[in-house]
Amino acid sequence: MSNQEVVVLNVGGVRFVTRASTLQQFPESRLARMLNDDDQEFKLVNGEFFVDRDATLFSYIMDFLRTLQVSLPTDFSDYQRLQREAEFYELYPLADLLSQEHLLKPRLEILEVHFSLQEMQAFFRIFGSCSTTVKTLAEQISVFTGQQSGQSWNSPFPSQKPLVPLPLERPSHHDMVFQCGTDYSAGDQFVARYVSIKPDNRKLINGTNVLGLLLDTLLKDGFRLISTRTISSEEKVECYGFERMKRPASLTVMVNQTPGSSGAAQAKRNQVQKGK
């Protein structure tokens, strides 16, 4: 059978259409042998290969054959059943990955935003259970400083004087510290700090506006606001708690097949971070 031929499978009454080459990714699997009529479990009926198995789980198997990745929905829970199906089709690299259930399950991620507004300055401290998320967020946040005169500190637009970028404070891999607003320097001069959060291009100096943009950014990134509380009434520190289910990295099988070799034996597992 040509690798370019279209193959139709009827799995438990649901039709799947694919290329023969997709089913032949792993030559020793039952799906590959099916194309050569080497497996009696698959019946050829009206030009379709019929097998009495679970169609919903087979859709994940087809996705694996097409992408060589295991990427399951956040609410997926049938790991053992899917592993059993992979073993039935003798797709042992997939079954091996599914046996590492702890790598595939999504994890609960916690993040807290501490906010304090003192006179003309606002102070932020962000704590996160996942250091990668904190690092990514730190790359989105930029702080700039410059001098202004008079009482223009609360203007939504920065002064025309050049602004100098400031590095974020990173006390640890799990938190960051920054501030915005103005601080009296000399005469009628004020040192102003602006905050910008990508993809928004504005440079904001008002702490309440920065807080609103930060919370909106987290919500758009999949976090859910679960609590709001006051940590210190004297210092006016408010805490906003967030959580989200974080997808794990996709697990990928790299197949390097040579004539006469076993695709399963040469499968190598790698964890690859999925692009957002």
Side-chain angles (χ1 to χ4, degrees), residues 1-263:
M1 179 177 286
S2 169
N3 286 353
Q4 299 303 315
E5 281 194 58
V6 173
V7 180
V8 180
L9 295 94
N10 187 322
V11 182
V14 179
R15 297 174 76 250
F16 293 85
V17 182
T18 187
R19 291 183 180 275
S21 57
T22 301
L23 300 176
Q24 292 169 332
Q25 289 277 17
F26 298 92
E28 294 185 351
S29 72
R30 297 182 77 173
L31 291 171
R33 299 202 309 269
M34 170 193 74
L35 300 179
N36 299 320
D37 296 324
D38 288 342
D39 197 312
Q40 297 302 312
E41 187 76 34
F42 299 87
K43 305 295 183 182
L44 190 59
V45 181
N46 297 325
E48 300 179 2
F49 289 98
F50 175 80
V51 60
D52 190 18
R53 304 295 294 190
D54 188 292
T56 300
L57 296 177
F58 187 73
S59 67
Y60 299 119
I61 289 175
M62 282 304 307
D63 181 67
F64 168 74
L65 290 174
R66 288 166 174 152
T67 66
L68 297 181
Q69 291 188 352
V70 182
S71 183
L72 301 172
T74 304
D75 59 351
F76 186 82
S77 59
D78 289 336
Y79 295 95
Q80 292 185 349
R81 289 184 61 215
L82 184 55
Q83 181 182 349
R84 193 162 59 241
E85 291 300 292
E87 291 172 348
F88 169 80
Y89 294 107
E90 297 183 7
L91 288 167
Y92 295 116
L94 174 58
D96 189 25
L97 292 182
L98 290 168
S99 69
Q100 304 177 71
E101 187 176 327
H102 64 286
L103 297 178
L104 295 168
K105 281 187 174 181
R107 292 172 294 171
L108 181 64
E109 187 176 351
I110 304 297
L111 189 139
E112 287 189 350
V113 175
H114 292 190
F115 172 69
S116 175
L117 190 59
Q118 301 176 15
E119 297 182 355
M120 295 185 297
Q121 297 185 78
F123 299 87
F124 295 82
R125 187 159 194 169
I126 300 176
F127 302 85
S129 61
C130 177
S131 60
T132 302
T133 297
V134 176
K135 178 182 177 182
T136 300
L137 188 58
E139 292 171 351
Q140 292 179 256
I141 299 175
S142 301
V143 180
F144 303 88
T145 185
Q147 284 192 340
Q148 289 187 208
S149 60
Q151 299 298 320
S152 61
W153 63 272
N154 59 353
S155 169
F157 305 101
S159 65
Q160 298 300 314
K161 296 181 181 180
L163 297 178
V164 179
L166 290 176
L168 290 179
E169 294 183 46
R170 295 291 308 277
S172 75
H173 293 298
H174 290 272
D175 64 338
M176 73 180 82
V177 178
F178 62 92
Q179 67 186 83
C180 65
T182 58
D183 187 20
Y184 177 78
S185 59
D188 64 347
Q189 296 294 312
F190 289 82
V191 175
R193 286 186 176 87
Y194 301 87
V195 173
S196 176
I197 305 178
K198 296 176 182 178
D200 195 294
N201 293 321
R202 293 173 297 168
K203 293 181 176 64
L204 303 176
I205 195 171
N206 183 283
T208 303
N209 292 341
V210 173
L211 176 65
L213 179 58
L214 176 60
L215 300 187
D216 186 58
T217 300
L218 293 174
L219 292 173
K220 289 180 178 178
D221 202 28
F223 280 97
R224 182 170 63 95
L225 181 64
I226 58 173
S227 66
T228 303
R229 68 184 191 275
T230 300
I231 297 179
S232 171
S233 56
E234 294 181 359
E235 299 179 1
K236 299 179 181 178
V237 179
E238 298 175 355
C239 175
Y240 298 84
F242 292 84
E243 70 176 20
R244 72 174 176 183
M245 295 301 294
K246 184 184 178 185
R247 273 185 189 276
S250 295
L251 294 179
T252 299
V253 170
M254 303 299 294
V255 181
N256 180 22
Q257 297 176 3
T258 56
S261 65
S262 167

